[in-house]
């Protein structure tokens, strides 16, 4: 369901990949945006994920700085070569107009079989067409035992919108 603002006029733009909902966000549409991002990232398809970002999107991911979809695709391709069995949960923290703050956790294992849980916060800024033009991510990694895992693939629909435990 879209927010009160209607889709930008076709005459205003030729952005075929516009991604509703559009800013300014409401609580409902911000939650939809967060769930859509979680769902896309859990596909582990770098090309699909990159389509949610503007052509000139800028990122800070840990200590890496990226600009544009081509760099996003390359980054995500390498990420998911290293981070096997990746499963992610995102949770809305706050929102205002064209910005959303998210906290997240993901689990994966490395090629040596060590499991990791990564905790992070993201700040997102969107353009009028619902594409993310800026993403800043701060992330910390904690080694875990396989028996401590709690994320197994994409979140079932019945669990959409549920919180993420701190530990």
């Amino acid at each position: 369901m879209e927010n009160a603002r209607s889709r930008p006029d076709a005459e205003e733009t030729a952005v075929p990949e516009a991604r509703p909902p559009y800013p300014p966000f409401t609580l409902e549409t911000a939650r939809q945006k967060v769930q859509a991002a979680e769902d896309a990232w859990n596909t582990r398809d770098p090309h699909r994920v990159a389509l949610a970002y503007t052509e000139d999107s800028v990122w800070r991911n840990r200590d890496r700085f990226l600009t544009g979809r081509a760099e996003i695709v390359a980054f995500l391709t390498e990420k998911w070569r290293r981070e096997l069995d990746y499963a992610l949960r995102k949770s809305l923290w706050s929102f205002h107009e064209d910005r959303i703050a998210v906290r997240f956790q993901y689990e994966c294992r490395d090629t040596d079989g060590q499991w990791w849980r990564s905790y992070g916060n993201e700040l997102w800024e969107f353009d009028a067409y619902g594409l993310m033009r800026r993403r800043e991510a701060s992330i910390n990694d904690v080694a875990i035992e396989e028996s401590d895992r709690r994320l197994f693939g994409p979140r079932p629909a019945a669990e959409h919108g549920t919180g993420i435990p701190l530990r």
Side-chain angles (χ1 to χ4, degrees):
M1 179 176 193
E2 292 184 30
N3 56 2
R5 179 180 171 159
S6 63
R7 182 180 186 145
D9 293 335
E11 294 174 3
E12 290 179 37
T13 183
V15 180
E17 67 273 356
R19 291 279 197 266
Y22 307 105
F25 297 110
T26 65
L27 178 58
E28 179 183 353
T29 61
R31 284 181 175 155
Q32 289 172 1
K33 203 62 142 173
V34 171
Q35 188 61 55
E38 177 184 307
D39 293 345
W41 279 68
N42 275 321
T43 69
R44 292 176 268 171
D45 179 340
H47 296 281
R48 176 178 172 187
V49 172
L51 289 175
Y53 300 89
T54 62
E55 288 285 345
D56 61 349
S57 184
V58 292
W59 282 26
R60 181 187 56 79
N61 193 92
R62 300 175 193 256
D63 61 347
R64 299 273 308 271
F65 295 85
L66 311 171
T67 301
R69 286 185 183 161
E71 288 185 19
I72 292 168
V73 168
F75 172 82
L76 293 174
T77 298
E78 180 56 32
K79 172 185 177 64
W80 288 320
R81 278 192 193 129
R82 291 185 325 271
E83 297 179 357
L84 308 174
D85 298 318
Y86 176 96
L88 167 73
R89 299 295 184 269
K90 291 185 181 281
S91 178
L92 176 66
W93 188 256
S94 185
F95 68 95
H96 180 72
E97 296 181 4
D98 64 348
R99 295 178 179 172
I100 296 176
V102 174
R103 61 191 183 99
F104 66 89
Q105 293 176 26
Y106 68 85
E107 292 176 354
C108 63
R109 65 179 171 81
D110 61 26
T111 56
D112 293 329
Q114 174 62 57
W115 282 93
W116 298 90
R117 181 174 302 124
S118 299
Y119 297 86
N121 300 297
E122 293 176 314
L123 303 175
W124 299 344
E125 183 179 60
F126 294 86
D127 71 6
Y129 307 102
L131 296 171
M132 196 181 303
R133 62 178 162 222
R134 183 179 181 119
R135 174 184 175 266
E136 297 184 36
S138 297
I139 308 168
N140 300 68
D141 305 311
V142 177
I144 61 172
E145 297 296 322
E146 184 173 6
S147 61
D148 292 329
R149 289 182 61 208
R150 60 178 178 235
L151 306 179
F152 300 91
R155 185 187 314 227
E159 295 177 15
H160 285 187
T162 60
I164 304 170
L166 184 57
R167 294 183 190 208

